Amino acid sequence: MANKTSIRSLAVAKKPAANPAAAKPVLLAGGNPQIAKADGDAPVQAYIAAMPGWKRDVGRRLDALIMRSVPNVRKAVKWNSPFYGVEGQGWFLNFHCFTKYIKLAFFRGASLHPVPPGESKHKDVRYLDIRQDDQLDETQLAAWVKQASQLPGERM
């Protein structure tokens, strides 16, 4: 009997592990994709690809606009949100999916001109909520992104 158990255990041990990259990301509350914390473009693209419905297209537009506005932007996923920053200066913005909107956070938004409309409990942070039928003012958004990238970022 011991040999059968050993052979069976050996056979189970030789099974290939499931490919975690092939697994679909879990959507958390509000449809926010759960993506492992990591630096670089790949985890940000995985987050965007996992954004549900209309939010995926907006995520692609935001990422492209940020990359055009700040060509050497640094990217990462932290706390299930894409972060954008400048090497050596910290992070200047992130976005996060909620049920009915995407929240774009400017970490030094109170210093932007004009100041983004969404207030925060943190005096420096300002938000822009993007809903499905909103028309993005990409010129204004690009100006905010450029301004934000030139300010001291958050160290996280």
Side-chain angles (χ1 to χ4, degrees):
M1 195 67 106
N3 285 341
K4 282 187 177 181
T5 304
S6 297
I7 291 169
R8 192 173 302 147
S9 297
L10 193 66
V12 170
K14 287 185 178 182
K15 271 188 182 178
N19 182 356
K24 219 173 187 179
V26 172
L27 294 181
L28 301 170
N32 193 53
Q34 183 177 27
I35 302 294
K37 182 177 177 180
D39 288 313
D41 184 56
V44 170
Q45 296 309 316
Y47 178 95
I48 292 168
M51 291 171 77
W54 64 269
K55 296 172 191 166
R56 184 176 311 116
D57 290 333
V58 172
R60 286 184 187 126
R61 286 176 62 195
L62 289 172
D63 184 67
L65 183 142
I66 294 164
M67 288 176 49
R68 278 192 313 272
S69 301
V70 186
N72 295 321
V73 71
R74 179 178 172 212
K75 300 181 187 184
V77 170
K78 297 172 177 285
W79 304 286
N80 299 310
S81 296
F83 279 67
Y84 296 83
V86 174
E87 190 68 44
Q89 288 181 232
W91 305 105
F92 60 86
L93 71 80
N94 81 333
F95 60 87
H96 192 88
C97 288
F98 288 89
T99 303
K100 297 185 183 212
Y101 61 96
I102 297 169
K103 183 173 284 295
L104 182 63
F106 293 96
F107 302 134
R108 299 277 185 243
S111 297
L112 303 179
H113 298 285
V115 175
E119 293 186 16
S120 171
K121 63 182 177 181
H122 304 284
K123 68 179 178 109
D124 292 332
V125 177
R126 290 296 181 272
Y127 299 114
L128 177 66
D129 293 344
I130 304 167
R131 290 179 168 68
Q132 184 172 8
D133 295 325
D134 287 351
Q135 296 299 316
L136 283 180
D137 181 347
E138 291 196 13
T139 302
Q140 180 60 70
L141 192 51
W144 279 333
V145 169
K146 284 179 188 176
Q147 289 176 55
S149 72
Q150 296 168 355
L151 298 170
E154 287 292 322
R155 309 278 181 203
M156 295 184 212

